[in-house]
Amino acid sequence: LALVPGLLVIMKVVVCAFGTYFFAGSLTPVKSLQNFSFLYGMIPSSSAPLIFANSFAPHTSETIASSILLGLMVAGPLMYGTAVFLQSADMNMTDVLISVHFQ
């Protein structure tokens, strides 16, 4: 049962980000909109699933709560790194990493 929260987080934070990126790529050729959709797809889940779990399946509340917390912990650094790289996509990435690391 401990595998379920990890899979839910991977699906929401990583798979959903790439899915929205590829879907946006099929809809528009504008690269900035595709990059925005990738970052938007990484946004972690809200607490709404926990409210629904408490109402309809209280025995799953602990699993859903731990999944939401794990998603927040995983998505934060990933979103920060993605924003840094998308903001400076036309720059030398080594210089960007050095400037972010030493600030």
Side-chain angles (χ1 to χ4, degrees), residues 11-24 37-38 41-42:
M11 291 293 293
K12 174 60 183 104
V13 175
V14 178
V15 175
C16 188
F18 282 104
T20 56
Y21 178 78
F22 291 126
F23 185 67
S37 69
F38 183 79
M42 276 189 161

Side-chain angles (χ1 to χ4, degrees), residues 14-47:
V14 178
V15 175
C16 188
F18 282 104
T20 56
Y21 178 78
F22 291 126
F23 185 67
S26 67
L27 293 177
T28 181
V30 181
K31 193 69 172 171
S32 63
L33 292 177
Q34 294 173 5
N35 291 341
F36 172 75
S37 69
F38 183 79
L39 189 62
Y40 189 76
M42 276 189 161
I43 295 175
S45 178
S46 68
S47 59

